[in-house]
Amino acid sequence: MGWITAISASGPARKVLGLLLAALAITLFLLNLRRAGERAGRLAERLSTSERTHEIQRQMLDAASDRPADRDALVKRLRDGRF
């Protein structure tokens, strides 16, 4: 156990250990960025899908509001040429 302490107490070993820790920290940071990017992509896709769904639902509601109230109104609309 004494040799591990002696090696880790030397100047070059401490520099190497510091560089390894810095490389590990950078690697973990980059992996976290990648994961965050994937999550943001999924959220953007979900938002896009939601917007398309809402647009379609709005169009359906607009179409439903323009429909004739009953058969007589439909016949009148067809005879007038407005369908």
Side-chain angles (χ1 to χ4, degrees), residues 9-80:
S10 69
R14 286 180 27 194
K15 285 183 183 179
V16 169
L17 184 61
L19 288 175
L20 286 175
L21 287 175
L24 179 66
I26 290 171
T27 303
L28 290 175
F29 177 73
L30 291 175
L31 288 174
N32 189 32
L33 277 180
R34 182 175 148 242
R35 188 178 308 143
E38 290 172 354
R39 189 177 313 130
R42 285 192 302 269
L43 288 175
E45 185 178 354
R46 185 181 298 168
L47 176 65
S48 173
T49 302
S50 174
E51 286 176 347
R52 279 196 310 263
T53 303
H54 290 150
E55 177 64 24
I56 290 169
Q57 287 177 345
R58 188 188 61 76
Q59 290 173 357
M60 290 169 61
L61 288 172
D62 287 344
S65 68
D66 289 340
R67 75 175 188 209
D70 56 6
R71 287 183 178 186
D72 293 333
L74 175 62
V75 169
K76 184 177 182 194
R77 184 184 284 189
L78 290 172
R79 285 184 181 152
D80 292 343

